[in-house]
């Protein structure tokens, strides 16, 4: 039986390796634009991570990269009036700043601008979200989120938003929150690894609640600009949390896996120590957190529901900082942050509930017919966590 399990585990590791690479290739993608409108046109400033442009076929090292990027952005983000597209004119080429490409241009219309259309990733499999903010005079900015399916944002004649294809305001941030968690493979895998060994629905609810409390707290702290830790360290720890939760779940399924705890911990800490981008203080923090988690969770894997809840909430703190990244990138004005935070967090919670509502019955059904879905999911989660952890430390 042991040899059979070992062979099955080897096959799973091969499968998850392929899955890991694929899932990294289909991560979220986002860009932002800030509009100032007038009676016959607008000025727009667009910010997009340089890495997103490589997905569109541009090469940053090419001499014509900035001019090609300018043409692509101006063509992919258009302003219209009643007679058709407005004419784009840029005085300067885009500039590169902290890994982002920033481009500013003017749009000249024959009449009053009516709507914006975003088609940047229309022919790509990437799940791209474009966050557009419209500012006029001293009024609070309006915000809409444009995607491949909801690609048009309608403005009224008074330059405020009206009902259109793209969601706006709190609704826009709610939709962004749902999309963010359901297309965020690291958060999805963490939740699945967390509940895979839950024996009762009550346990699923408790663990999900702990995760919610943790990530809601740090999401608010980051969006309200109270605390913003280094994103690299946060992303690495999110990946590490997947490995640790998967290891804990594996021990709860097979106590023999306990012997892997020490070498796994040593390997994870060695990777962190060798990373060229991780400060030693952060490495020390990761070491302390990892050793503490392994020590506590391995002490008695058959009990300790309260301990598991506490540790889940602690991990949720790091996932909350990860959730906040997309909102922080928008550079929202202070007066817009509370509503954006409310809508986004409600969207994240809704997406989380949808995921759990689908996954939990499937896990229970597989357990009843003795299908080894739980071990397969646990092994896959561990493999993906290790892959993401190494990628974020050295990628």
């Amino acid at each position: 039986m042991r040899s059979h399990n070992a062979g099955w585990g080897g096959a799973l590791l091969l499968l998850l390796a392929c899955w890991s690479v694929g899932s990294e290739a289909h991560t979220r993608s986002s860009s932002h634009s800030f509009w100032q409108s007038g009676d016959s046109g607008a000025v727009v400033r667009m910010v997009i991570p340089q890495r997103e442009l490589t997905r569109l076929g541009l090469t940053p090292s090419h001499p014509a990269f900035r001019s090609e990027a300018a043409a692509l952005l101006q063509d992919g983000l258009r302003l219209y009036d009643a007679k058709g597209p407005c004419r784009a004119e840029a005085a300067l080429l885009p500039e590169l700043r902290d890994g982002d490409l920033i481009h500013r241009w003017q749009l000249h219309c024959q009449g009053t601008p009516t709507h914006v259309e975003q088609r940047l990733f229309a022919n790509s499999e990437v799940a791209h979200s474009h966050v557009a903010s419209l500012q006029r005079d001293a009024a609070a900015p309006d915000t809409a989120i444009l995607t491949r399916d909801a690609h048009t944002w309608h403005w009224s004649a008074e330059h405020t938003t009206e009902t259109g294809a793209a969601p706006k305001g709190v609704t826009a941030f709610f939709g962004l929150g749902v999309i963010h968690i359901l297309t965020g493979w690291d958060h999805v895998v963490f939740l699945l690894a967390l509940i895979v060994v839950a024996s009762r629905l009550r346990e699923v609810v408790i663990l999900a609640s702990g995760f919610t409390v943790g990530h809601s707290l740090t999401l608010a702290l980051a969006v309200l600009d109270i605390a913003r830790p280094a994103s690299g360290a946060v992303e690495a720890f999110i990946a590490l949390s997947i490995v640790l939760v998967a290891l804990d779940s594996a021990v709860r399924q097979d106590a023999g896996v306990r012997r892997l705890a020490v070498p796994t911990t040593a390997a994870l800490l060695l990777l962190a120590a060798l990373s060229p981008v991780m400060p030693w203080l952060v490495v020390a923090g990761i070491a302390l957190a990892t050793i503490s988690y392994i020590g506590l969770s391995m002490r008695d894997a058959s009990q300790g529901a309260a301990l598991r809840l506490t540790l889940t909430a602690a991990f949720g703190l790091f996932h909350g900082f990860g959730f906040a990244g997309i909102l922080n990138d928008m550079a929202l004005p202070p007066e817009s942050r509370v509503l954006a935070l409310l809508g986004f967090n409600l969207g994240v919670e809704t997406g989380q509930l949808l995921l759990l509502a689908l996954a939990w019955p499937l896990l229970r059904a597989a357990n009843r017919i003795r299908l080894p879905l739980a071990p397969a999911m646990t092994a896959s989660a561990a493999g993906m966590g290790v892959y993401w952890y190494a990628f974020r430390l050295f990628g």
Side-chain angles (χ1 to χ4, degrees), residues 42-385:
V43 175
V44 59
R45 179 172 66 91
M46 182 170 178
V47 181
I48 183 170
Q50 180 178 311
R51 66 177 181 274
E52 304 298 344
L53 295 171
T54 62
R55 296 177 175 179
L56 295 173
L58 299 185
T59 305
S61 59
H62 193 278
F65 169 70
R66 291 200 299 162
S67 59
E68 292 175 352
L72 186 148
L73 297 181
Q74 290 170 202
D75 183 63
L77 189 64
R78 296 185 180 186
L79 180 65
Y80 290 78
D81 61 17
K83 296 183 178 181
C86 303
R87 179 173 59 86
E89 179 183 29
L92 298 172
L93 289 175
E95 62 174 314
L96 288 170
R97 186 189 306 166
D98 298 327
D100 290 330
L101 188 88
I102 303 173
H103 187 37
R104 180 185 175 93
W105 70 96
Q106 286 186 307
L107 294 126
H108 305 282
C109 305
Q110 299 182 58
T112 302
T114 58
H115 64 278
V116 171
E117 189 173 271
Q118 186 274 136
R119 296 282 191 174
L120 279 174
F121 288 82
N123 299 318
S124 171
E125 294 183 2
V126 174
H128 186 80
S129 297
H130 179 81
V131 182
S133 296
L134 169 65
Q135 178 75 58
R136 186 177 188 272
D137 301 327
D142 293 310
T143 302
I145 297 177
L146 304 163
T147 63
R148 179 166 41 192
D149 297 324
H151 50 73
T152 303
W153 180 22
H154 292 274
W155 299 352
S156 72
E158 289 76 25
H159 304 278
T160 58
T161 55
E162 61 182 11
T163 302
K168 58 189 186 297
V170 174
T171 304
F173 288 104
F174 175 85
L176 182 62
V178 174
I179 294 171
H180 191 77
I181 189 167
L182 293 182
T183 60
W185 281 100
D186 46 3
H187 305 300
V188 169
V189 172
F190 176 84
L191 285 169
L192 294 178
L194 186 66
I195 68 166
V196 73
V197 294
S199 58
R200 293 175 298 170
L201 180 59
R202 180 175 178 271
E203 186 178 355
V204 173
V205 172
I206 290 175
L207 291 174
S209 299
F211 182 64
T212 295
V213 169
H215 76 65
S216 296
L217 174 61
T218 48
L219 173 61
L221 290 175
V223 172
L224 298 177
D225 207 17
I226 298 173
R228 291 192 184 183
S231 61
V234 168
E235 293 299 322
F237 198 89
I238 288 173
L240 177 62
S241 71
I242 296 171
V243 183
L244 297 179
V245 168
L247 181 60
D248 178 53
S249 295
V251 170
R252 293 171 188 276
Q253 296 170 60
D254 181 359
V257 178
R258 195 187 301 266
R259 64 181 181 274
L260 298 177
V262 172
T264 299
T265 302
L268 294 172
L269 296 182
L270 178 62
L271 284 175
L274 294 176
S275 171
V277 298
M278 296 291 281
W280 278 101
L281 187 60
V282 175
V283 173
I286 289 177
L288 179 62
T290 303
I291 293 172
S292 299
Y293 180 82
I294 292 294
L296 289 170
S297 63
M298 297 301 110
R299 184 178 58 186
D300 187 355
S302 64
Q303 300 179 14
L307 173 62
R308 237 189 144 209
L309 171 62
T310 303
L311 294 173
T312 299
F315 284 145
L317 296 174
F318 291 90
H319 285 256
F321 283 125
F323 287 144
I326 190 169
L327 293 183
N328 289 338
D329 288 344
M330 296 178 194
L332 295 169
E335 63 271 16
S336 300
R337 291 177 187 172
V338 174
L339 285 180
L341 172 63
L342 176 62
F344 183 79
N345 200 29
L346 286 174
V348 168
E349 300 314 318
T350 301
Q352 179 176 300
L353 287 174
L354 288 172
L355 174 66
L356 297 177
L358 290 172
W360 172 246
L362 180 62
L363 286 168
R364 297 305 298 164
N367 186 56
R368 282 195 297 269
I369 63 175
R370 299 186 182 278
L371 184 69
L373 182 58
M377 290 177 62
T378 303
S380 297
M384 283 187 281

